[in-house]
């Protein structure tokens, strides 16, 4: 599959790009906001294109032509204001969904947040962030795309173990970013994850097996 | 109709409450966030209840039981951060929609913003606010409720003229808050506005007639 990774410059995005580079089944292209970010990917032998989530759906659809899948792992981050959370994490995500529909890219994987589907479990310190993720996920579910929504727990930078727990959860736990990336890449062609959403934390089950059980 | 006015303490909300008080067809109940706000409505001979849009859908549905219609004109306002825009203008609105469905209040009127439906016409200075309104409107349209979405132009405090222009527009113009309120109340039982959205600015056509023409 030819995969566009939206938000490649983020920590999960970089792991995903590395995994796609190693993969025999896929080719990853990094979508990033700045020329120098694209250059950094190219220097590592990866493909990259520059596009901004604040662009129009039409422009984003133009970028997406010819891809088989989109992975969305972009976010405005904690250093900008909540106005950017609305414009990137919500509206940017939904525009990406709409652009994928327009460009006939049928497969879409969203990196969301633990229990973003349940208002009562939103982290009270960053509730507005969860609201943004919640409505982006809703829009994806209502689209005509073959989606998978991965909702990781607390992200940590430890090396991945390749073992996770996946499903609908209530107990918050952590998960290495590397394992989130592995799970996302594994989802691409795992039909059991089509049109499904699940929480993801560290666990005892190999990723491949965990995905079949969700 | 027994009408719950969510956001009664806002400027448009107060006009709506006054109009409902004068009306022979309707009874308005002000939903406000603070006890003293409720008291102020009661002192003017109006009904009021205290409820918070940050409450759960279940709690909001409990408040809504027995009503025939909900008018949503709440907003976090410019003095709070964009995090509150996400939690009140977007999530608070959608929770109100979900609560109305749960409480079987079938009629729902949303006070939105001029051209909130078209990203390219969002006011660039408060784009995030338009994004919030946009997704709230979308959720209402996707609900099972009989909705009307009124998208007023630049709000001014001049006395209403009772004459407007309503429909899909591209040229931004102003409209007195009093005329927005009159339009909203007129919509309640005007079947021609059921499941419709329209922009609203000052114009030459009496409100009643403008609504039949949309």
């Amino acid at each position: 599959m030819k995969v566009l990774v939206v938000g490649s410059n983020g920590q999960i995005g970089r792991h995903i790009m590395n995994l796609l580079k190693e993969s025999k089944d896929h080719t990853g292209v990094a979508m990033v906001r700045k020329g120098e970010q694209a250059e950094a990917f190219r220097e590592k032998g990866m493909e990259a294109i520059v596009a901004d989530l604040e662009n129009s759906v039409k422009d984003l659809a133009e970028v997406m032509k010819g891809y088989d899948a989109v992975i969305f792992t972009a976010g405005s981050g904690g250093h900008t204001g909540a106005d950017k959370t609305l414009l990137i994490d919500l509206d940017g995500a939904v525009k990406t969904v709409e652009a994928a529909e327009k460009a006939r890219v049928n497969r879409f994987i969203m990196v969301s947040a633990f229990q973003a589907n349940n208002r009562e479990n939103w982290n009270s310190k960053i509730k507005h962030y969860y609201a943004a993720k919640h409505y982006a996920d809703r829009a994806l579910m209502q689209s005509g795309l073959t989606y998978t929504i991965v909702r990781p727990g607390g992200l940590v930078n430890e090396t991945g173990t390749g073992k996770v727990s996946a499903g609908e959860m209530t107990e918050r736990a952590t998960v290495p970013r590397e394992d989130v990336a592995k799970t996302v890449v594994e989802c691409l062609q795992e039909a059991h994850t089509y049109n499904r959403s699940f929480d993801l934390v560290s666990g005892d089950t190999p990723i491949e097996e965990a995905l079949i059980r969700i």
Side-chain angles (χ1 to χ4, degrees), chain A:
Chain A
M1 287 180 127
K2 193 180 173 193
V3 185
L4 184 67
V5 183
V6 179
S8 290
N9 208 49
Q11 295 187 71
I12 293 173
R14 288 180 206 189
H15 280 297
I16 292 172
M17 283 301 296
N18 289 333
L19 290 167
L20 291 174
K21 199 192 173 201
E22 293 161 19
S23 161
K24 292 168 190 163
D25 301 328
H26 308 297
T27 312
V29 179
M31 182 177 129
V32 289
R33 201 158 47 93
K34 295 177 183 169
E36 62 257 38
Q37 294 166 343
E39 213 39 65
F41 279 102
R42 286 178 198 130
E43 278 167 15
K44 290 180 201 154
M46 302 178 202
E47 286 183 62
I49 45 164
V50 177
D52 196 316
L53 287 170
E54 299 202 46
N55 289 351
S56 70
V57 171
K58 200 183 155 200
D59 287 352
L60 291 170
E62 204 57 49
V63 167
M64 269 176 217
K65 273 184 185 162
Y67 285 86
D68 303 301
V70 172
I71 295 171
F72 187 94
T73 182
S76 58
H79 56 290
T80 57
D83 54 333
K84 287 292 179 192
T85 310
L86 259 160
L87 293 177
I88 302 300
D89 304 60
L90 173 52
D91 198 38
V94 180
K95 285 192 291 187
T96 306
V97 168
E98 291 174 10
E101 287 187 296
K102 212 177 172 79
R104 298 177 183 276
V105 182
N106 186 52
R107 185 78 177 108
F108 198 111
I109 301 183
M110 176 75 87
V111 179
S112 180
F114 192 79
Q115 283 290 297
N117 52 324
N118 287 329
R119 286 190 186 98
E120 52 268 41
N121 294 335
W122 293 355
N123 183 338
S124 60
K125 286 178 196 162
I126 46 166
K127 220 171 177 179
H128 69 281
Y129 168 74
Y130 278 79
K133 297 301 283 179
H134 177 78
Y135 289 103
D137 292 354
R138 273 202 199 192
L140 175 57
M141 288 187 279
Q142 285 160 354
S143 76
L145 305 174
T146 302
Y147 68 83
T148 301
I149 299 170
V150 182
R151 301 185 306 247
L155 300 168
V156 293
N157 278 333
E158 291 156 26
T159 307
T161 62
K163 291 185 176 179
V164 299
S165 176
E168 188 68 31
M169 290 176 201
T170 48
E171 291 274 317
R172 196 177 169 80
T174 62
V175 59
R177 287 182 170 86
E178 196 182 345
D179 283 334
V180 177
K182 279 182 186 166
T183 303
V184 164
V185 171
E186 192 65 37
C187 282
L188 279 168
Q189 291 186 303
E190 173 48 65
H192 201 73
T193 70
Y194 291 179
N195 302 322
R196 302 287 290 270
S197 311
F198 56 89
D199 299 301
L200 183 79
V201 297
S202 286
D204 302 321
T205 315
I207 288 168
E208 213 170 320
E209 206 181 312
L211 292 181
I212 293 166
R213 285 199 210 159
I214 56 162

